[in-house]
Structure formats: C-alpha cells, structure tokens
Amino acid sequence: MAKTNLVIVESPAKAKTIGKYLGPDYKVLASMGHVRDLPKSKMGVDLEHGFQPDYQPIKGKEETIAELKDAADASQKVYLATDPDREGEAISWHLKELLDLPDAKTSRVTFNEITKKVVTESIAAPREIDQNLVDAQQARRILDRIVGYELSPLLWKKIRRGLSAGRVQSVATRLVAEREAEIRAFVPEEYWTLEASFDRIAPNLGSFKAQFWGREKKMELKSKEQVDEVLERIRNAPFAVSNIKRQDKSRAPAPPFITSSLQQEASRKLNMSPRRTMSIAQQLYEGVDIEGEGTVGLITYMRTDSLRISEEAIASASSFVAARYGQQYLPATPRRFKTKAGAQDAHEAIRPSNVELTPESIKKDLTAEQFRLYKLIWSRFLASQMASAVYDSVGIEVESAGYIFKTSRSEVKFPGFLAVYEEGKDEETNEISTPLPNLKEGEELKCAATKPDQKFTQPPTRYTEATLIRALEEKGIGRPSTYAPTISTIMAREYVVKDGKYLHTTPLGEVVTDLMKDKFHDVADYDFTASMENRLDKVESGEEYWKDVLNDFYGGFKKELAKAEEDLEGVRIKVPDEVSEEICDVCGKQMVVKSGRFGRFLACPGFPECTFTKPLVIEMPGKCPKCGSRLLKKTSRNGYTYYGCERNGDKLGRACDFMTWDVPVKDCCPECGWTMFKKSGRGFKKPFCINEACSAFVPEEKRGGYRKKKTEETAEGAAAETGAEEKTTAKKTTKKTAEKTAEKKTAAKKTTAKKAAKEEGEEKPAKKTAAKKTTAAKKTTKKAAAETPTEEKE
C-alpha cells in the first residue's frame, strides 16, 4: 500500500479546511500550537555558555506528539505547514527536531491564504526551513525568558508577589503611566471663541454662522477683555463678504488593513478588544463552512505589517467595482500602497481571499462577530481600490473693522470609495454642517447676533486600546503579533485598568514603572526597545547573528540587575492604595480599591476595625430618573449586567429602587431632559426616552432588541438582590458560591492561556496550586512557587 503524505498545521480548524482541499493522498494533522519550549520550572538557558536553550516537550502534549510521530514515520513526505511568520517557522523547526524528521522527507510550506488554489500551489512548491527566521524567534524567546526570570523575582521581593516584567510589557505600561502623569500635571488655560450669526440684507435669502479668525493672521482670544475689545470695534461697523473660495477637494481611500490598523478600527467601529479581533480574524483565516462552497478561508493571513497586494487581487477587486458600481468608480490606475520603512513585508495586507464572497451573501454562514469583522475587512479592501471621493468645498470670509470671521462647508460631489467604506476616528469632531447661502464677494451682511464662549484647554486624552496600539506602532515597539497580548498582559497584571473605553494605570502600575525607569533604563526605554526589534529584524534577514544580540543585551542587563539589588537591599516598596469616590456605609471613610482572588473590589481603609467591603461598580453617564443620583453598572448574583441607582438598598432614609436592563447614555431627551437609554448588545442601538409623561416616550414593545430575562432575574428581584449584596461583606459570601466562582475563573484562565500561547510568544508566571492538599503540602508548594520566577507573554 502506497504511503500517504503528512501535512502538519497548528490548529484543527485549519487541518479540516486544508484536508478537504488536498484529498485522500494527504493526511492533515494539527500540532495544537507549540510542541516544545523552554521549561517553566527553571531558566532553561545556559547563560554562561553561549545562551544554549534547553528545549523540552510541553507537558500535556504527549499524545499529540506521539500521534504526529507515528504519522510521520508512516508517511512518504512530511510538509510542515505552520503559520507563515517567525513563530510559525520556529514551530516547524521544533517539530522537525522533536519528531526526528530527516531532511530528505521534510519540507516547509506556507499559506498566505487558505484557498484551494493557494494550498495546492504551495504544496507543489515547498522549501526548506528558514533558519534565520527560526533564530530571530529564538532570540526573542530567550530575551523574554532572561528578562522575565531574572527581573520578576526582584519585583516579587521588593513590591509584591506574582508580578512580572518584560520588554514590551514594561514600555506599554510606561506609555500609559506617563500619559496619566501628563493629565495630572495639566494646568488648564483660558481661551474664548466668538461665533457670529449673519443674515443677508435681502429677506429670506438665508443665514449662516461663522467663527472669529483674526486680522492679518490668526488670533487667539485669551481673555474676556480681548473678546470685549473685538465686540466693541465691530459693534457699529459694517460686515461684508471679503472672500469666497470654491474648489473641488479629493480624498483618497485608506489602504487595506495591516494588523495594527485592523485592531484599531475594530476597536473604534465594532467595540472589539484587540485580542478578540485577532481571535475572530484567526477563524476567518483558517476557514468557515460556506453553503455551496464548502470550507473556505475568507481572509489572508492576519499578522502582517505590509500594505502589498497581489496583482491578481487588484485585478479581481477592479472587476468587481466596475461590475457593481461602474467604471467611474475605478481610479485612473490601480492603487498600490507603499509599506512603511522597517516593516517586514513578509505577507500581503489583510484582504478577503475572494472579493466575490460579499459579506451579505455569506452572512447566514457566519456568527455575528465573524460577519461584522469580515464586512470591515472586505469593505476596507474594496474601497482601497476605488476612485477618490470628490467634495464641493466652499470657504467664506466675512470682514468687519479689519477682523475676519470664517466658515466653510463641504458637500460630497462624487462619493467614490465612500459608497463602500469610511475610516473611523478616535475622537469625534463637531464640524459645521449647515448649508451656506449662495453669497457673492463684496455682499453686505447683517450681524444678527454674537456668541462669545469661555473655554479651557483640555488635558491629553487617555489611551484607548486602539490609540495605545497606534503609539506602540509609531515608536517601533513590538510587532504585529505582540500588540494584542501585550495589552492583555498589562491589564491581567492590573498595571493598567480599563474604565469605559479608556486605559489608566493603577498605583501598582505606576510603582513598577518608576522602578523600571530608575533601575532598568534599557528595558523601559522606548528607543532601546525599538532598536532591539530592529536587531531582531536583522537576524531574520541574516545580517546579524542571534547570539550576538543576546550577548550585547545581557552584559548591560546583568550589571543593572546587580546594581538594583545592591541599591534596594533591605528596601520594601509600598504600593499606595487607589482611593475611590465611594464612602464606607459603616464608618464613612473614603473607600479604597483592593485586589483579591476574585478581582478588584472596594474595601474600607479602616480595616481591621471596619471590615466593610462592596463590589467595585462602574459609574454610567446620566442621572437616575427617580432621584437624580448616579447610575451604576452592576452584576447580579446570576451574572447578568444591569444598571441601577447608587441608592439601591440604602436604608439611611434615601433608598431608591430604580434599576433597568437598558444601558444609560450620555444624551438627554430633547423634550423632557431625562437621561435616555438604549438596548444592550453589540452594534448601534437607537436611544429612547423612558419618561411616560414625555411626548417622546417609547413604549417597551417598540424599543427593539429586548430579551426577556429569566423569572428569577426580574427588575425587582435584581434590585432587591443588589440591596442585600451591597450590605454584606466579602467574608459573608457563601462557600459554595465562592468555590463555583473560583472554579469558573480558573477554567477561564487556563482556556485563555492556551489560546494566547500561539499569539504571545512569552510565558505567564509558573504558578503552583495547592488546593485540596495537606498543610505540609501547601507549605512545600508555597516555597516552590516563591522560587519560580515569571516572564511576560507578548
């Protein structure tokens, strides 16, 4: 019987898709990510003898390795088809070494997209394993191991057990910490705007508004006195149109997505975290069952920093645009985008594998998240190959007493790519959108009113996940595969927390950042971290030897570590409490934020005299419609999210029973002024008024998207439950509930760690669990855990 060929990929989903394309002559198995790595229980790198790594089979992978070994021995040819990046190349190399595969029967293949055409073409043109890529990944892995296992124990001794540090992690935390410091140090400055409303002399010919600009050059109004001076000079002076500028302005489409821009846009438009975005993108890449098509990989590889697009894809997009929208929607020449300097350019930009598979045509075959992300990728790519949008732009200047007021208006003259897609913005802007009358130069106007407005400069905006990724990318820190896991790591360590959509550091994050900046300048330095990424790129290209990079780094790092241990001898760094705005219900002290086994919570600083605790709640926009107090986001005992008045369950004579499943929004009803609400769930939901006495009131059955909760989860039940929960301490939580919650969280952490292993390239702390052991066993485990350092996962 003829031997079959073995193809080894990383995930079962990809194995299923590729197996259908290749047929019965090929057996496709999944390695389930890494099969060999540095041991968790020790450094695993010989620092004194050329940084020799001690790779070991990963525990729990014995059955997978045995299955792969048997299949490889029985196969005529073995194709290593792990992901087309550094880490994927390293996994292929580890497979070859661990399975003892001979060179003669082993080949490397990569799939930029998982379609039948690309898969069969790649199998027909195999190559050898690229040792430069492998060495670049080895250098990164060992660098992260050194930093994690040498530096983390110092943090444990001097600050708190269980902490970790790493190259990218430390710099990302520093970015957020320094933005927080800028906000605290910010001193607002007064400034004024001056808006004028103009009417044309002839009645009913139109009116418009314009903003004060200056005289010969732009002026800043810094005080009321300056505003009064301008108003006094123009009070009796005539107003006339001094200049009208009409022109067509064109706007080119954004390029197709790379990893960072996809994560940013999905955060802005879809409210997806970077990690979730990459998880859904992985599903789209590996393959989805499409009715009438079979299993199809819908997008190209999603870890890329290249804007390159294949000529075949450009031609396909152009044909689709011409057929659906017409020739006028095509640019004069196909668009090709220049990849930024320093990008690896190993893969194409992220695009649909087949542009003919429109999001709407396959919506029924996708989950809601898959559909939304695929639509985003498909639309962005198609728009990138379309004609520019053309705007009819009008700018008007009005002059009086030598002062100039300006206004402008742009209207879409030809939509071009806007027919398909428009790029999102990190911050919304208030642009004037009222139409302008058909004015003429020299035309006299009547100033109907002036509106001076005092304002103050605002501090820098806190980072969101999207803007933090952009900052890391701009500084050259990290690579496409590291952005999402880096942000997840600093949030998991509670160095950074997310408040709404914004990130800010905790006191712990600031203490760790200050220590890193003071004692480990290289690790926490932006330029050093970026230059290290460039050196790893040079290892990949064969320009540098990977052990030279490690040697250059370790020499300085070892000296910094020794100096830090000397300077901090006998020192214990205290992490200040994070003070909240909540007041203790028992003693009236201002509560502080603490961290426990179940996450962050509020505790009285008067412990042990006062043991009162309560859940950490999130303040929502708007006010309680019953009493005007704050609205808080809460979680019921059964895990449902609801929103209630801060006075729920209060027995101090000010109790309020308002609660709702609907989400409060920042907008107030224009009719009655009550806070408006919207239905929960992903995507846009139209706000509505809940005031039954208001003319804009929307009845329950017309609000849309309402999902009936279980009987025990009625509004009244949740409100009563909340009152009970908030009056008890964390110590009164039942043993059964605590055990169930602990089990769920432990299982969730294990699942997250497994899923993140491929993306991150670094390890989480090696923790020893001592549940259900004897007292002696617990002490032994505790001692072992204290001796096991940690490293970050990027």
Side-chain angles (χ1 to χ4, degrees), residues 35 57-58 61-70 98-99:
V35 291
I58 295 175
K61 288 286 189 82
E62 291 83 5
E63 289 186 12
T64 300
I65 294 170
E67 181 185 13
L68 293 173
K69 177 66 173 172
D70 291 342
L98 185 60
L99 303 180

Side-chain angles (χ1 to χ4, degrees), residues 198 237-243 397-405 445:
F198 296 105
F239 290 84
V241 178
S242 59
N243 185 34
E397 295 181 7
V398 177
E399 186 175 350
S400 177
Y403 292 110
I404 296 172
F405 291 78
L445 301 170

Side-chain angles (χ1 to χ4, degrees), residues 47-261:
L47 302 177
E48 304 302 324
H49 300 88
F51 303 97
Q52 187 63 34
D54 177 23
Y55 293 119
Q56 299 289 334
I58 295 175
K59 290 183 179 180
K61 288 286 189 82
E62 291 83 5
E63 289 186 12
T64 300
I65 294 170
E67 181 185 13
L68 293 173
K69 177 66 173 172
D70 291 342
D73 290 342
S75 298
Q76 179 179 352
K77 187 83 173 176
V78 178
Y79 295 92
L80 302 173
T82 51
D83 284 354
D85 55 16
R86 283 180 190 166
E87 192 165 5
E89 202 76 17
I91 292 174
S92 285
W93 177 73
H94 284 301
L95 283 166
K96 184 175 183 296
E97 296 291 314
L98 185 60
L99 303 180
D100 196 22
L101 300 175
D103 294 341
K105 66 179 292 184
T106 308
S107 296
R108 172 81 167 115
V109 293
T110 57
F111 311 125
N112 186 54
E113 59 186 79
I114 302 180
T115 58
K116 187 171 184 177
K117 179 177 180 295
V118 171
V119 168
T120 52
E121 287 178 352
S122 297
I123 290 291
R127 61 170 173 83
E128 295 181 353
I129 291 175
D130 188 331
Q131 193 60 42
N132 289 335
L133 283 175
V134 174
D135 289 344
Q137 180 61 24
Q138 284 197 96
R140 174 185 285 279
R141 185 74 189 92
I142 293 172
L143 273 171
D144 296 332
R145 173 55 63 99
I146 291 172
V147 172
Y149 274 47
E150 296 257 289
L151 186 53
S152 295
L154 179 68
L155 299 183
W156 288 23
K157 288 188 293 184
K158 302 304 177 184
I159 301 177
R160 180 186 298 173
R161 291 181 58 81
L163 300 182
S164 72
R167 298 178 307 109
V168 180
Q169 169 188 320
S170 299
V171 173
T173 305
R174 178 180 175 179
L175 276 169
V176 181
E178 291 185 345
R179 176 60 57 87
E180 202 66 26
E182 286 181 54
I183 293 171
R184 284 197 290 264
F186 182 80
V187 178
E189 293 184 4
E190 179 186 14
Y191 73 99
W192 289 70
T193 60
L194 179 59
E195 181 182 82
S197 298
F198 296 105
D199 292 331
R200 302 182 77 180
I201 300 298
N204 302 321
L205 288 182
S207 61
F208 64 98
K209 296 178 180 179
Q211 295 288 332
F212 176 80
W213 183 78
R215 306 192 80 152
E216 290 85 3
K217 59 181 181 180
K218 185 173 178 59
M219 293 174 56
E220 298 289 342
L221 300 175
K222 297 289 188 180
S223 65
K224 188 176 185 302
E225 289 72 23
Q226 289 181 314
V227 175
D228 290 340
E229 180 182 350
V230 174
L231 291 175
E232 182 62 31
R233 291 193 179 187
I234 65 174
R235 188 179 308 280
N236 299 313
F239 290 84
V241 178
S242 59
N243 185 34
I244 298 177
K245 187 176 182 180
R246 296 181 182 274
Q247 60 180 337
D248 285 348
K249 289 185 177 180
S250 63
R251 178 181 163 195
F257 285 126
I258 57 175
T259 303
S260 59
S261 58

Side-chain angles (χ1 to χ4, degrees), residues 390-465:
V390 179
Y391 292 84
D392 181 10
S393 177
V394 180
I396 296 175
E397 295 181 7
V398 177
E399 186 175 350
S400 177
Y403 292 110
I404 296 172
F405 291 78
K406 287 187 175 185
T407 188
S408 61
R409 165 73 173 170
S410 292
E411 292 183 347
V412 177
K413 187 176 181 180
F414 172 67
F417 73 92
L418 293 177
V420 176
Y421 176 87
E422 184 169 10
E423 189 175 18
K425 299 177 181 177
D426 289 314
E427 299 295 334
E428 296 298 323
T429 56
N430 297 319
E431 297 179 352
I432 298 175
S433 58
T434 54
L436 296 174
N438 188 21
L439 301 168
K440 299 178 181 178
E441 284 194 22
E443 179 178 346
E444 293 189 0
L445 301 170
K446 177 183 177 182
C447 183
T450 55
K451 182 184 176 182
D453 191 9
Q454 183 188 32
K455 296 187 178 182
F456 292 90
T457 53
Q458 297 298 308
T461 306
R462 285 190 173 102
Y463 285 113
T464 63
E465 289 178 297

Side-chain angles (χ1 to χ4, degrees), residues 689-743:
C689 179
I690 65 169
N691 182 6
E692 296 184 10
C694 176
S695 60
F697 169 71
V698 179
E700 183 70 58
E701 64 273 10
K702 295 185 179 180
R703 294 174 185 176
Y706 182 74
R707 181 172 66 84
K708 195 84 170 176
K709 302 291 179 184
K710 295 181 180 179
T711 305
E712 67 269 23
E713 288 294 340
T714 59
E716 294 80 5
E721 173 191 311
T722 306
E725 288 179 342
E726 292 184 350
K727 286 181 293 181
T728 59
T729 68
K731 290 184 178 181
K732 292 182 180 180
T733 303
T734 64
K735 183 178 181 182
K736 184 177 179 181
T737 303
E739 287 175 349
K740 285 184 176 180
T741 307
E743 289 172 1

